[in-house]
């Protein structure tokens, strides 16, 4: 063995597109695992990077030494390195930033450096020639350890980090890293059990006897339950424990957000359809990569399929990764996984504090859990040896991350499954066109659940043509007679009504009656929405808000008419139409305070709410058996967006909200009001006919060469100055054009659309332009954009105030 330093490859979380090689001394070699952070010199700075593995690029001159390896354990397994590389390459994003974004947030802040006075320090204060500042530092540390920040504050001075380094080197002080903050405490509950089964009962009377009897009958029981059965149970439990009859142990309990403990459940007997699907998936387990699309109507028992295949994977010694859409609350799916698998689950979603997230991350990395459930970002969970990756509601738009690394978790779930040689299972009642297309070209295997469990019927859907109700005036005008009648009947039977309108606020279209101008946001090119409860006009894009007594900005008139419809207006109308009912509203305005979603859903669950009005927040994953009528106030809101996925989204939204009806024993009904009763999205939703919708939509995509028949990459160009943004967009357009002409393999396969102004021209004071690159051949398209951004395109315009962002497979195209 030689003493020559080895080399490691490091990813730096800065806008740089390649990795770096550093030297590592032999005594540190045993710590230098892939997946750990590493402190390295970078230019004149020191930065924290991530070790990817050993480096073979060792022929550079001046390879620097690393400074430190702060982590005791890796933050992610080495098997994830190829995954990160793939993402960085595909989304054209710096790999260090990919990794940083994947790791729990605030890691570097959570990890604090604390300085202690070393033993040697005592002597040197007298003997050595210390600078006054060094003396002061040691004096402060005399009274206890502290961070650099604390030292600076106490001494009211700026202390250079290098000074601390020197003092550490001289052995006057020690440096320690401690994790601080945010570690959430689990909820623990005491459980009581009998120590022996042969306790003579006649020795006890009354309450003590009752406790012994209950324990003999039911086995281990929670103290909280005993308290319900026996007054003052705690005292008796204490007594019985002292006497050695019973034992008390603490267990971690999980509660659902609706407050009830999650009872362990017993797996039901699978239906034939379910059994078939489960068998097919299990037979592929452990045999390499495969991708399944589980297309099952709402209420067909998809979740039960997930549970069974998960159980099988865990039995075989695999881990399981489950992705669920981002919602305001714990999802139904997560709840049911908890009920089935209890302790061995880790969760990762945005409601967790960074400390909680870090805890979960650590449990996963240390292999203390076998199942990970979470929203979008859970696809980066540090699991190894995955048996299956499940993506629930795979069509959901929340899988696409906007901003930063613009990835789609559904898509990279399939990539991760491929790299890890395992199964991807995507499930939905309304699969994305992309995934169904993948079935038709044999990339995915389709599995179907055509019927609801227990032969429950799908709700009957009545379509009402709003065009024929134009003459209606006053508060009745957005309730057709059919909807009104159905609501009345439902409420009379003591059942609940869900009304869906995908727009919050009171009115989204304030117009000046004097000059005809619409009231627009001052920062965005978008009309404001009146929020009556808040007495304000608000912008839904930048948060701008102004008093509702405002006057027209162009003519000064104060006579403003609030056209358009929002959930607030619907709720207000309900109060007049059904004065004796209790209504509630679920949208982003009513759920800003912590706990508010909970309260709304709790009231719904215990029937203290009769009618719930809401935006798409109501469509997601809730299961309320007493809702037997769903009213869709206006089905068309998302239909006319200038976006090629508008029809797909509309169909999905309608089918999902309709699926909320009749989930209990009483069959459900849906009344769908629309101005486009003959549109294929509406008709297919009415008939619960996914394949009719798919066949129409796919032909339209094919004719226009839209995805899935092509791939898209969008360049989003934005800046504060109108002219400069426009100019830069045109410059980039020209560069694209030239690059395209220069290479025939590009010009043959790639289309450039634009530059054009974005449909939403101005948001938050930024003017927005876009260039859409479209091509049938993914590899070529990516090659083109790679060449464009790394070799040809200036990163910014000359004055540096126009930004270009690359969005691969864009979702939000406006
Ligand atoms: P989906 O996810 O397809 O909408 P769920 O998994 O929520 O459907 O199932 C709907 C309901 O049917 C749930 O209440 C679930 O507990 C129940 N269920 C699922 N599978 C079975 C089964 N095999 N036997 C009885 N009930 C079942
Ligand atoms: Zn006006
Ligand atoms: Zn705005």
């Amino acid at each position: 063995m030689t003493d020559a330093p080895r080399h490691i490859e490091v990813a730096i979380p800065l806008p740089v597109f390649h990795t770096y090689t550093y030297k590592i001394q032999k005594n540190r070699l045993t710590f230098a695992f892939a997946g750990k952070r590493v402190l390295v010199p970078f230019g004149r700075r020191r930065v924290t990077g991530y070790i990817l593995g050993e480096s073979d690029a060792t022929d550079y001159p001046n390879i620097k030494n690393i400074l430190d390896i702060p982590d005791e354990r890796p933050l992610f397994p080495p098997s994830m390195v190829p995954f990160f590389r793939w993402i960085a390459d595909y989304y054209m994003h710096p790999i260090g930033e990919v990794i940083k974004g994947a790791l729990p947030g605030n890691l570097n802040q959570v990890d604090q450096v604390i300085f202690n006075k070393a033993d040697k320090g005592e002597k040197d204060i007298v003997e050595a020639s210390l600078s006054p500042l060094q003396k002061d530092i040691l004096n402060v540390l005399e009274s206890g350890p502290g961070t650099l920040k604390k030292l600076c504050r106490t001494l009211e001075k700026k202390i250079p980090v290098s000074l601390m380094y020197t003092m550490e080197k001289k052995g006057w002080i020690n440096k320690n890293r401690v994790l601080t903050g945010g570690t959430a405490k689990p909820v623990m509950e005491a459980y009581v059990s009998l120590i022996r089964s042969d306790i003579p009962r006649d020795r006890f009377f009354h309450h003590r006897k009752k406790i012994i009897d209950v324990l003999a009958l039911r086995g281990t029981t929670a103290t909280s339950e005993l308290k319900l059965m026996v007054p003052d149970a705690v005292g008796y439990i204490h007594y019985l424990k002292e006497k050695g009859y019973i034992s008390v142990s603490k267990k971690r309990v999980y509660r659902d957000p609706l407050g009830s403990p999650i009872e362990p459940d017993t797996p039901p007997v699978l239906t034939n359809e379910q059994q078939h699907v489960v068998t097919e998936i299990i037979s592929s387990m452990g045999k390499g990569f495969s991708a399944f699309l589980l297309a099952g109507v709402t209420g067909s028992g998809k979740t039960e399929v997930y549970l069974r295949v998960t159980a099988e994977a865990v039995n075989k010694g695999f881990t399981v990764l489950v992705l669920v859409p981002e919602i305001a609350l714990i999802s139904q799916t997560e709840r049911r996984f908890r009920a089935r698998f209890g302790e061995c689950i880790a969760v990762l979603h945005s409601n967790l504090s960074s400390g909680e997230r870090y805890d979960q991350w650590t449990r996963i990395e240390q292999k203390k859990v076998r199942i990970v459930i979470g929203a979008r970002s859970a696809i980066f969970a540090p699991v190894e040896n995955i048996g299956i990756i499940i993506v629930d509601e795979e069509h959901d738009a929340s899988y696409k991350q906007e901003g930063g690394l613009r990835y789609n978790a559904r898509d990279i779930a399939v990539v991760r499954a491929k790299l890890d040689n395992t199964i991807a299972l995507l499930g939905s009642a309304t699969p994305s066109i992309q995934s169904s297309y993948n079935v038709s070209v044999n990339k995915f295997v389709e599995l179907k659940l055509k019927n609801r469990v227990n032969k429950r019927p799908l709700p009957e859907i009545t379509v009402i043509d709003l065009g024929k109700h134009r003459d209606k005036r006053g508060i009745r005008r957005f309730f057709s007679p059919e909807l009104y009648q159905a609501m009345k009947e439902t409420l009379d039977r003591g059942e609940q009504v869900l009304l869906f309108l995908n727009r919050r606020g009171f009115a989204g279209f304030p117009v000046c009656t004097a000059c005809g101008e619409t009231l627009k946001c001052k920062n965005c090119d978008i009309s404001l929405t009146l929020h009556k409860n808040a007495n304000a006009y608000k912008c839904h894009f930048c948060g701008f808000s102004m008093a509702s007594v405002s006057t027209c900005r162009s003519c000064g008139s104060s006579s403003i008419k609030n056209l358009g419809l929002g959930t607030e207006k619907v709720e207000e109308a309900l109060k007049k139409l059904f004065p004796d009912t209790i209504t509630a509203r679920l949208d982003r305005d009513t759920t800003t305070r912590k706990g508010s979603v909970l309260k709304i859903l709790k009231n719904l669950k215990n029937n203290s709410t009769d009618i719930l009005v809401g935006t798409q927040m109501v469509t997601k994953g809730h299961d309320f058996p007493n809702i037997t009528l769903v009213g869709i106030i206006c089905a068309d809101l998302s239909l006319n967006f200038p976006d090629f996925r508008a029809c797909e989204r509309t169909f999905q939204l309608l089918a999902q909200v309709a699926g909320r009806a009749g989930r209990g024993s009483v069959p459900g009904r849906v009344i769908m009001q629309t101005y486009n009763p003959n549109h294929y999205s509406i008709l297919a939703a009415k008939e619960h006919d996914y394949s009719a919708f798919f066949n129409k939509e796919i032909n339209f995509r094919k004719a226009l060469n839209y995805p899935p028949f092509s791939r898209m990459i969008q360049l989003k160009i934005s800046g504060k100055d109108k002219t400069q943004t426009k100019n830069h967009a045109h410059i980039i357009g020209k560069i694209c054009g030239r690059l395209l002409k220069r290479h025939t393999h590009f010009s043959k396969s790639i289309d450039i659309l634009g530059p054009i102004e974005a449909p939403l021209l101005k948001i938050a004071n930024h003017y927005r332009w876009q260039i859409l690159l479209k091509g049938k051949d993914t590899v070529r398209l990516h090659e083109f954009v790679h060449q464009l951004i790394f070799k040809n395109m200036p990163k910014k315009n000359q004055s540096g105030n126009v930004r270009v962002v690359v969005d691969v497979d864009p979702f939000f195209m406006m």
Side-chain angles (χ1 to χ4, degrees):
M1 288 250 299
T2 67
D3 281 357
R6 300 259 208 103
H7 296 87
I8 51 170
E9 185 184 10
V10 175
I12 307 283
L14 289 171
V16 288
F17 283 86
H18 43 87
T19 55
Y20 293 83
T21 297
Y22 284 90
K23 258 191 279 201
I24 182 149
Q25 297 82 357
K26 201 178 164 225
N27 61 345
R28 277 187 162 137
L29 214 51
T30 43
F31 303 103
F33 290 121
K36 284 189 179 186
R37 285 176 299 168
V38 59
L39 190 68
V40 293
F42 189 77
R44 285 205 206 134
R45 288 186 281 175
R46 299 180 311 149
V47 297
T48 305
Y50 308 97
I51 304 178
L52 299 183
E54 238 184 275
S55 171
D56 43 19
T58 54
D59 47 356
Y60 289 114
N62 302 328
I63 295 180
K64 291 180 189 156
N65 276 317
I66 66 150
L67 300 173
D68 196 6
I69 298 174
D71 295 314
E72 209 156 294
R73 294 183 62 99
L75 293 165
F76 55 86
S79 60
M80 287 182 75
V81 172
F83 183 51
F84 289 136
R85 286 192 207 276
W86 190 95
I87 291 170
D89 187 52
Y90 186 80
Y91 292 107
M92 297 176 227
H93 202 78
I95 184 164
E97 297 197 334
V98 169
I99 297 174
K100 187 178 179 197
L103 296 175
N106 288 335
L107 208 55
N108 297 338
Q109 280 153 23
V110 172
D111 194 7
Q112 265 193 335
V113 177
I114 305 267
F115 294 100
N116 282 302
K117 192 172 157 190
D119 292 341
K120 195 181 167 201
E122 196 71 52
K123 211 166 87 227
D124 283 25
I125 289 181
V126 208
E127 291 172 9
S129 50
L130 291 165
S131 73
L133 180 57
Q134 290 172 335
K135 264 184 203 156
D136 287 345
I137 291 172
L138 288 177
N139 271 333
V140 175
L141 291 179
E142 186 75 26
S143 57
T147 60
L148 184 58
K149 212 168 157 191
K150 191 180 145 198
L151 285 170
C152 292
R153 218 174 328 138
T154 318
L155 295 172
E156 294 176 351
K157 263 195 197 113
K158 199 163 156 38
I159 306 171
V161 186
S162 56
L163 182 71
M164 303 304 284
Y165 250 93
T166 323
M167 293 180 70
E168 192 198 350
K169 276 230 178 83
K170 298 218 162 159
W172 298 338
I173 59 172
N174 293 322
K175 183 179 75 180
N176 286 306
R177 280 170 201 275
V178 280
L179 285 172
T180 55
T183 38
K185 287 229 163 54
V187 184
M188 306 294 277
E189 182 151 67
Y191 281 82
V192 186
S193 35
L194 286 180
I195 283 178
R196 306 199 320 258
S197 54
D198 58 341
I199 299 171
R201 306 284 173 87
D202 47 10
R203 227 183 261 175
F204 305 102
F205 297 100
H206 299 300
H207 296 321
R208 286 173 203 161
K209 181 163 188 305
K210 174 111 195 240
I211 289 175
I212 300 277
D213 286 344
V214 170
L215 293 177
L217 188 71
R218 305 187 15 166
T220 305
T221 305
T223 308
S224 58
E225 273 180 76
L226 290 171
K227 276 199 266 187
L228 296 177
M229 295 179 255
V230 181
D232 297 326
V234 176
Y236 302 118
I237 290 170
H238 187 71
Y239 170 85
L240 291 167
K241 187 182 157 202
E242 291 289 292
K243 295 279 168 200
Y245 296 115
I246 61 172
S247 66
V248 180
S249 59
K250 293 223 160 179
K251 272 204 247 179
R252 182 167 184 173
V253 290
Y254 295 98
R255 283 162 198 286
D256 83 350
L258 297 183
S260 31
I262 300 179
E263 297 279 341
D265 76 337
T266 329
V269 179
L270 293 181
T271 64
N272 286 342
E273 278 190 328
Q274 283 172 325
Q275 186 61 60
H276 179 79
V277 165
V278 168
T279 310
E280 176 138 4
I281 297 167
I282 286 176
S283 66
S284 311
M285 207 172 270
K287 296 181 187 159
F289 169 69
S290 44
F292 293 101
L293 175 64
L294 175 60
V297 298
T298 53
S300 60
K302 293 184 289 298
T303 315
E304 189 58 42
V305 170
Y306 304 150
L307 292 167
R308 289 305 167 88
V309 296
T310 298
E312 179 68 20
V314 170
N315 276 341
K316 285 186 170 152
F318 292 115
T319 57
V320 176
L321 188 51
V322 186
L323 302 188
V324 292
E326 186 83 58
I327 56 170
L329 266 188
I330 179 179
S331 75
Q332 196 81 8
T333 311
E334 181 185 329
R335 191 174 186 282
R336 290 182 42 201
F337 268 80
R338 283 238 195 268
R340 189 70 53 88
F341 301 106
E343 295 268 339
C344 67
I345 295 180
V347 291
L348 290 171
H349 44 62
S350 57
N351 290 351
L352 302 179
S353 69
S354 57
E356 287 172 320
R357 210 176 146 75
Y358 181 78
D359 282 353
Q360 297 288 335
W361 192 272
T362 316
R363 285 176 75 211
I364 301 165
E365 196 280 322
Q366 300 184 354
K367 303 191 168 45
K368 290 189 174 144
V369 297
R370 306 295 286 280
I371 302 166
V372 179
I373 300 189
R376 183 173 65 223
S377 66
I379 190 57
F380 297 114
V383 276
E384 277 187 290
N385 189 27
I386 304 172
I388 186 166
I389 303 177
I390 298 169
V391 184
D392 187 22
E393 309 289 5
E394 65 86 30
H395 66 278
D396 198 279
S398 74
Y399 286 123
K400 167 76 179 179
Q401 157 99 21
E402 302 291 349
L405 169 65
R406 294 166 175 266
Y407 66 97
N408 186 319
R410 189 242 350 254
D411 296 344
I412 63 174
V414 178
V415 171
R416 191 165 179 187
K418 206 167 195 170
L419 292 172
D420 282 19
N421 256 320
T422 190
I423 303 177
L425 172 62
L426 317 185
S428 175
T430 52
S432 61
I433 293 291
Q434 179 74 51
S435 293
S436 286
Y437 175 76
N438 284 341
V439 170
S440 69
V441 295
N442 297 322
K443 275 193 187 166
F444 293 177
V445 174
E446 187 173 43
L447 304 167
K448 277 191 168 174
L449 294 174
K450 291 183 183 161
N451 304 298
R452 277 190 168 178
V453 180
N454 291 335
K455 303 210 168 65
R456 274 173 207 148
L458 283 164
E460 183 204 321
I461 302 180
T462 312
V463 173
I464 304 296
D465 184 355
L466 280 177
K468 294 191 178 144
H469 289 272
R470 283 228 173 97
D471 52 345
K472 282 273 180 298
R473 283 285 167 264
I475 51 167
R476 285 287 289 275
R477 76 182 184 281
F478 32 83
F479 293 97
S480 58
E482 290 88 343
L483 177 56
Y484 178 75
Q485 191 57 31
M487 288 174 71
K488 226 164 132 0
E489 287 165 15
T490 308
L491 295 168
D492 284 345
R493 286 195 302 267
E495 293 157 13
Q496 291 165 305
V497 178
L498 180 69
L499 293 180
F500 167 71
L501 179 70
N502 209 9
R503 183 162 298 163
R504 67 199 167 93
F506 188 83
F509 200 60
V511 189
C512 169
T513 53
C515 75
E517 279 289 310
T518 51
L519 243 66
K520 284 191 173 172
C521 173
K522 88 176 178 7
N523 310 320
C524 310
D525 185 37
I526 284 160
S527 92
L528 290 165
T529 299
L530 174 64
H531 288 248
K532 225 175 173 179
N533 292 358
N535 281 321
Y537 286 106
K538 289 184 186 173
C539 171
H540 288 184
F541 283 86
C542 73
F544 169 75
S545 155
M546 65 183 196
S548 60
V549 288
S550 305
T551 50
C552 170
R553 233 199 305 275
S554 3
C555 78
S557 158
S558 60
S559 79
I560 288 162
K561 198 164 178 148
N562 290 297
L563 301 177
L565 185 56
T567 46
E568 259 187 44
K569 206 185 245 184
V570 174
E571 196 190 16
E572 189 179 276
L574 285 176
K575 289 192 169 135
K576 290 180 186 148
L577 282 178
F578 300 97
D580 299 329
T581 60
I582 303 167
T583 63
R585 181 157 54 89
L586 183 68
D587 56 28
R588 265 203 287 161
D589 296 321
T590 62
T591 52
T592 46
R593 238 175 298 131
K594 204 175 155 83
S596 43
V597 185
L598 211 71
K599 211 168 135 204
I600 293 168
L601 295 181
K602 233 178 196 171
N603 286 339
L604 197 66
K605 190 182 175 193
N606 59 30
N607 281 312
S608 8
T609 297
D610 302 308
I611 308 175
L612 180 70
V613 187
T615 55
Q616 60 176 331
M617 283 180 87
V618 304
T619 66
K620 294 195 179 183
H622 307 300
D623 194 15
F624 293 104
N626 199 33
I627 293 178
T628 57
L629 176 67
V630 168
I632 297 167
I633 301 291
C634 182
D636 315 308
L637 292 185
S638 52
L639 208 50
N640 299 319
F641 281 180
D643 177 337
F644 74 92
R645 287 196 191 86
C647 299
E648 179 179 357
R649 277 191 204 141
T650 303
F651 172 78
Q652 287 163 345
L653 211 49
L654 297 177
Q656 293 286 345
V657 72
R660 299 307 114 205
R663 295 178 74 90
S665 47
V666 183
R669 262 197 89 180
V670 179
I671 308 264
M672 194 188 292
Q673 306 189 137
T674 171
Y675 287 103
N676 298 284
N678 296 316
H679 190 284
Y680 63 95
S681 289
I682 308 274
L683 287 174
K686 173 184 172 3
E687 301 299 333
H688 305 283
D689 192 347
Y690 177 80
S691 52
F693 171 73
F694 177 77
N695 291 335
K696 274 263 190 288
E697 181 71 15
I698 201 79
N699 283 329
F700 151 73
R701 301 275 178 100
K702 191 169 188 178
L704 297 173
N705 193 26
Y706 279 139
F709 296 94
S710 63
R711 296 287 185 126
M712 287 178 172
I713 295 179
Q714 194 180 48
L715 305 178
K716 296 178 146 102
I717 303 139
S718 64
K720 281 196 168 176
D721 185 280
K722 192 172 179 177
T723 322
Q724 289 186 15
T725 310
K726 178 180 166 184
N727 290 345
H728 196 56
H730 283 289
I731 289 172
I732 293 173
K734 285 214 184 83
I735 297 173
C736 287
R738 253 184 271 138
L739 184 61
L740 194 76
K741 275 202 208 109
R742 216 182 300 150
H743 303 279
T744 44
H745 59 267
F746 286 151
S747 49
K748 265 194 281 182
S749 67
I750 296 167
D751 290 331
I752 302 175
L753 288 81
I756 51 160
E757 289 180 340
L760 303 175
L761 171 61
K762 187 180 156 203
I763 290 183
N765 280 323
H766 282 75
Y767 292 88
R768 308 164 75 245
W769 281 71
Q770 32 185 253
I771 297 174
L772 194 62
L773 307 164
K774 209 166 78 167
K776 272 192 193 305
D777 182 340
T778 317
V779 178
R780 279 267 182 278
L781 183 63
H782 276 250
E783 198 188 318
F784 179 81
V785 179
H786 256 275
Q787 286 208 16
L788 181 72
I789 64 176
F790 295 126
K791 300 216 176 97
N792 292 278
M793 192 175 82
K795 293 247 152 56
K796 283 182 175 163
N797 69 335
Q798 269 170 354
S799 39
N801 56 4
V802 179
R803 210 164 77 109
V804 184
V805 168
V806 177
D807 192 354
V808 177
D809 303 329
F811 229 69
F812 185 74
M813 314 261 292
M814 312 230 299

